[in-house]
Amino acid sequence: MTRNCPIGVFDSGSGGLTILKEFLEVLPDYDYIYLGDHARAPYGTRSFEIVYEYTLQAVKWFFDQGCELVIIACNTASAKALRTIQQKDLQHITKTGRVLGVIRPTTEIIGSKTKTNHIGIFATTGTVASQSYILELEHLWPNIIAHQQACPMWVPLIENNEHLDPGADYFVQKYIDLLLEQEASIDTILLACTHYPLLSHKIKERLPAHIQVFDQGEIVAKSLVNYLERHPTIEQKISTGRSVTFYTTEHAERFNEKAALFFGKNIQSKHLERL
Ligand code: DGL
């Protein structure tokens, strides 16, 4: 079988780079295509229908590029679009390709971390409204109670590179207080948005020491390793040129400027006219 398919990685903006970075740690040999839909981000405050439509356009684009495996490295898109795409659309787009998200692999792991059985979830308004984490956790970990807090200001602060400014502290503290007011015995918090690792330092320093905070990069990367071991027919199609090609629907320069914050190093992206 010829290995000629890169792995597609999608996010509404730059947050998915925090996931891609971890893929490259554990699976450095493959080729990757990253797409950030910056021109239409953030997705977190958009309606179900719009997030679904945008995500479906992106998924089709990845398959047009020759991908056989696409990872939706965005909680909002995973929450609002993934299931419908998997169940309804994928069969019309590809015969053998697969689309995976970030919610299921994260939920599988996060449930094993709590001792009090109370987990806090910080996420976008869209992810919270979808109830996806609540439903997945109920299914996989019936003894655990999840408490969600929407943080609509965090993605705009991060995308505008204002998150480390003292002005951001107000909104970090605000959402922490709102979450902990819901349930004092939360001992595990999940950053259920791929942008939030950029705030993780600020979040951790404001939380009591006994509360552990997890982001998703490592968890999702380990899950991808495991998935590829279990699906050799997909794995055997993935090309191994060790390349990463970045696309954005915004101006490439704008993405390039911010990318290092998420990715840890500079990138050169290409502008995508339309999806
Ligand atoms: N990074 C996306 C997520 O994981 C959200 C960003 C946005 O609101 O567009 O949910």
Side-chain angles (χ1 to χ4, degrees):
M1 196 173 297
T2 327
R3 287 183 173 273
N4 56 5
C5 307
I7 297 177
V9 181
F10 175 64
D11 184 42
S12 59
S14 305
L17 294 176
T18 64
I19 304 283
L20 175 62
K21 189 170 71 176
E22 300 298 331
F23 288 169
L24 291 166
E25 285 292 321
V26 292
L27 298 166
D29 291 336
Y30 296 133
D31 292 313
Y32 296 86
I33 299 182
Y34 182 90
L35 171 62
D37 191 9
H38 295 86
R40 303 188 293 191
Y43 280 12
T45 42
R46 291 192 186 276
S47 68
F48 176 93
E49 290 77 13
I50 292 292
V51 173
Y52 164 65
E53 185 187 319
Y54 290 177
T55 307
L56 180 58
Q57 287 170 0
V59 165
K60 284 182 178 160
W61 178 84
F62 278 110
F63 284 103
D64 285 347
Q65 308 309 303
C67 295
E68 274 287 297
L69 180 63
V70 177
I71 317 291
I72 310 282
C74 173
N75 289 270
T76 311
S78 296
K80 292 184 155 197
L82 180 64
R83 182 154 302 183
T84 314
I85 291 174
Q86 284 173 330
Q87 291 178 354
K88 186 169 119 318
D89 303 299
L90 205 57
Q91 56 189 313
H92 306 297
I93 303 171
T94 165
K95 280 201 177 67
T96 49
R98 292 283 178 271
V99 183
L100 307 175
V102 287
I103 294 179
R104 178 72 186 223
T106 310
T107 314
E108 281 170 2
I109 300 300
I110 200 72
S112 65
K113 305 291 183 185
T114 173
K115 293 195 173 60
T116 62
N117 283 347
H118 286 278
I119 293 182
I121 294 173
F122 285 130
T124 65
T125 308
T127 300
V128 166
S130 76
Q131 298 279 321
S132 298
Y133 273 100
I134 303 285
L135 297 171
E136 285 285 351
L137 279 164
E138 263 172 22
H139 175 65
L140 291 174
W141 303 92
N143 294 332
I144 290 175
I145 301 176
H147 310 269
Q148 305 191 95
Q149 180 56 50
C151 313
M153 288 303 290
W154 286 2
V155 168
L157 284 167
I158 293 165
E159 285 279 336
N160 289 295
N161 200 12
E162 297 282 352
H163 56 290
L164 297 180
D165 190 85
D169 296 2
Y170 170 80
F171 285 106
V172 174
Q173 192 65 52
K174 175 177 176 171
Y175 301 139
I176 288 177
D177 291 346
L178 287 170
L179 179 68
L180 297 183
E181 274 165 23
Q182 292 184 46
E183 175 56 57
S185 55
I186 289 170
D187 68 345
T188 303
I189 290 182
L190 172 66
L191 304 183
C193 169
T194 54
H195 281 69
Y196 296 173
L198 275 78
L199 275 175
S200 104
H201 182 68
K202 272 197 178 188
I203 295 168
K204 282 179 190 162
E205 66 186 17
R206 282 171 177 73
L207 285 169
H210 71 277
I211 300 185
Q212 2 164 43
V213 179
F214 292 90
D215 57 44
Q216 300 174 285
E218 261 184 65
I219 296 174
V220 175
K222 276 192 193 143
S223 158
L224 179 60
V225 172
N226 182 272
Y227 179 88
L228 292 172
E229 281 166 7
R230 288 184 292 111
H231 295 84
T233 49
I234 298 270
E235 197 284 326
Q236 282 155 17
K237 292 182 188 164
I238 301 174
S239 53
T240 51
R242 300 179 78 104
S243 72
V244 189
T245 313
F246 298 90
Y247 291 91
T248 174
T249 51
E250 247 291 355
H251 287 296
E253 280 308 313
R254 290 188 63 155
F255 180 29
N256 297 349
E257 275 166 25
K258 288 188 291 205
L261 286 171
F262 296 83
F263 197 51
K265 56 183 170 199
N266 292 328
I267 65 152
Q268 288 302 320
S269 64
K270 300 177 190 179
H271 171 63
L272 192 65
E273 201 61 52
R274 74 167 49 123
L275 271 173

